[in-house]
Amino acid sequence: MVPPAATASAPVQPIGTPEAPAIKDPAKDTILTPRFYTTDFDAMAAMDLRPNEAELEAICEEFRKDYNRHHFVRNEEFEGAADKLDPETRKVFVEFLEQSCTSEFSGFLLYKELSRRIKEKNPLLAECFAHMARDEARHAGFLNKSMSDFGLQLDLGFLTANKAYTYFKPAYIFYATYLSEKIGYWRYIAIYRHLEKNPDSKIFPIFNFFENWCQDENRHGDFFDALMKAVPSTVTGFTAKLWCRFFLLAVFATMYVRDVARKEFYEALGLDAREYDKYVIEKTNETSARVFPVVLDVENPKFWVRLERLVNNNQALSEADASSAPAPIKALRKLPYWGANALEMAKLFLMAPIASNRYQPAVR
Ligand SMILES: [Fe+2]
Ligand SMILES: [Fe+2]
């Protein structure tokens, strides 16, 4: 379900300087903001990787090479870059940095904790997670440093201790993280390629780093692809098909509603949020067919009509939220839109999926 927006405006807070950035209050948690996850560490430790051990070992060897060891180094282009943004662009760009930093950091926490907790019993898996935690820490740190160019910083220690953690059993962690890595790859590379063709729209030098950066995300996604193939029960059978559909839909719908709600950020880059998301969703869906048994029928026009209805309902929910009415009246006004969202999501979920082998052999 896709309820109230991430756009609910937060109270104005003081802004520091790049030298002494103010700690930013964390954004209010909604279903559209990045989550922190925890899982069953014993089940992860006990996982038998033999069915796909050679591929996992090869991926771990890639991680060891640490291709981006020297990539995330700030250069002189960052000096004064923040001052060139107009106030409106500045606001949406800082929101983008904050959301990206939080989701990179969420990956770091999960991978770090996994590597620590399964080290003794499952050293290969633990090592892969440790390398991925290294990458995500770099990504989060780089984004947080860019936030400090705008006089703000996220207190990652505070977030670690205070944000709610969602428990997912290992199979759900695989679906959710696989999709977030692959969608992250397509999001970053799409922006990078667009700005390569339209250098005037490059509003901040961080985008120059996206090409190598997204290769990290691509490798992380490949790791989860190999991991699911090592545990075939996660991607075969009736139940797995249902969960793959569910996670694909949840990830796509959340991204679409969130991105359209903050389309000003994409406009600042010279992109249309809807077209951009359509491209990212189509590409991620096609990529997912390499490992998921089914994917969504994103070529069906009804898929997009229904996503637009979610956008409209979400807009109405935000308006109800922003009104000065007492809480019970607000809830009453929101009720029909919550119901409408649930109905649209159910209809989307029930749309006939596409068997992934339809993409073979080109993709699989
Ligand atoms: Fe990352
Ligand atoms: Fe990643």
Side-chain angles (χ1 to χ4, degrees):
M1 223 177 323
V2 184
T7 51
S9 51
V12 179
Q13 68 168 88
I15 291 181
T17 61
E19 295 73 35
I23 300 300
K24 188 181 179 307
D25 292 335
K28 202 179 96 197
D29 267 337
T30 73
I31 208 157
L32 299 180
T33 50
R35 278 161 193 282
F36 285 12
Y37 296 100
T38 184
T39 190
D40 180 343
F41 296 103
D42 294 333
M44 283 277 195
M47 232 158 238
D48 176 8
L49 307 177
R50 278 172 295 178
N52 201 22
E53 197 165 14
E55 193 186 355
L56 283 165
E57 179 53 57
I59 289 173
C60 196
E61 186 50 35
E62 288 286 293
F63 286 157
R64 286 178 198 128
K65 291 191 180 123
D66 195 3
Y67 295 107
N68 283 336
R69 183 195 312 246
H70 303 298
H71 180 62
F72 294 97
V73 180
R74 284 160 57 93
N75 54 24
E76 65 288 349
E77 280 186 83
F78 284 87
E79 276 164 35
D83 304 332
K84 292 181 191 145
L85 267 57
D86 63 75
E88 195 45 44
T89 311
R90 209 182 155 92
K91 182 173 162 282
V92 290
F93 185 60
V94 171
E95 269 172 28
F96 165 79
L97 290 174
E98 180 182 5
Q99 281 230 344
S100 306
C101 181
T102 311
S103 64
E104 298 280 8
F105 188 66
S106 141
F108 160 75
L109 281 181
L110 176 67
Y111 300 158
K112 184 80 198 160
E113 191 63 4
L114 273 162
S115 77
R116 197 175 69 80
R117 301 274 287 264
I118 67 174
K119 207 172 181 166
E120 304 301 326
K121 290 191 179 140
N122 209 330
L124 175 61
L125 211 51
E127 188 186 345
C128 289
F129 281 122
H131 292 311
M132 294 198 300
R134 165 203 73 200
D135 295 342
E136 305 301 14
R138 258 179 212 152
H139 302 166
F142 202 65
L143 285 156
N144 212 8
K145 190 77 191 92
S146 285
M147 281 189 72
S148 70
D149 291 335
F150 295 87
L152 285 168
Q153 209 158 30
L154 282 183
D155 183 344
L156 299 176
F158 177 84
L159 274 185
T160 309
N162 292 285
K163 210 160 151 44
Y165 286 73
T166 304
Y167 173 85
F168 270 176
K169 68 176 197 172
Y172 303 166
I173 288 280
F174 297 170
Y175 306 141
T177 46
Y178 169 78
L179 284 171
S180 98
E181 297 290 359
K182 285 295 180 186
I183 214 164
Y185 166 75
W186 285 112
R187 287 174 69 80
Y188 286 160
I189 198 69
I191 291 180
Y192 181 83
R193 288 185 185 147
H194 164 77
L195 294 178
E196 219 178 11
K197 283 187 218 130
N198 302 278
D200 293 345
S201 300
K202 199 184 286 168
I203 57 173
F204 202 69
I206 199 166
F207 299 110
N208 293 328
F209 291 77
F210 273 25
E211 193 181 26
N212 293 34
W213 186 330
C214 78
Q215 296 309 331
D216 280 344
E217 312 304 6
N218 206 22
R219 277 188 286 272
H220 299 169
D222 288 342
F223 161 78
F224 284 106
D225 177 315
L227 186 52
M228 285 186 270
K229 284 172 182 156
V231 189
S233 61
T234 57
V235 280
T236 43
F238 180 73
T239 320
K241 280 184 186 170
L242 287 181
W243 281 112
C244 288
R245 282 165 69 182
F246 173 80
F247 275 92
L248 281 161
L249 177 60
V251 168
F252 293 165
T254 309
M255 179 181 80
Y256 193 83
V257 171
R258 190 190 61 209
D259 284 353
V260 174
R262 58 163 196 210
K263 59 181 189 307
E264 292 77 11
F265 167 69
Y266 297 92
E267 277 165 13
L269 299 181
L271 282 164
D272 177 276
R274 288 181 165 86
E275 280 171 27
Y276 169 76
D277 271 41
K278 195 159 187 278
Y279 175 79
V280 170
I281 287 173
E282 283 168 357
K283 287 298 190 183
T284 308
N285 197 54
E286 191 184 311
T287 304
S288 304
R290 290 181 195 164
V291 60
F292 287 177
V294 287
V295 291
L296 304 186
D297 183 8
V298 299
E299 278 162 33
N300 186 336
K302 278 190 188 152
F303 179 79
W304 302 100
V305 170
R306 288 175 179 149
L307 286 189
E308 280 304 320
R309 287 191 194 135
L310 294 177
V311 168
N312 292 337
N313 293 336
N314 193 58
Q315 176 66 31
L317 284 165
S318 301
E319 279 160 20
D321 247 346
S323 80
S324 53
I329 303 288
K330 270 191 196 180
L332 216 60
R333 281 185 193 154
K334 282 156 74 176
L335 206 59
Y337 298 105
W338 278 90
N341 267 351
L343 188 67
E344 286 310 325
M345 283 300 274
K347 283 185 189 165
L348 280 160
F349 182 71
L350 294 171
M351 282 175 74
I354 295 180
S356 295
N357 55 16
R358 226 188 77 179
Y359 287 95
Q360 286 171 341
V363 172
R364 279 172 86 93

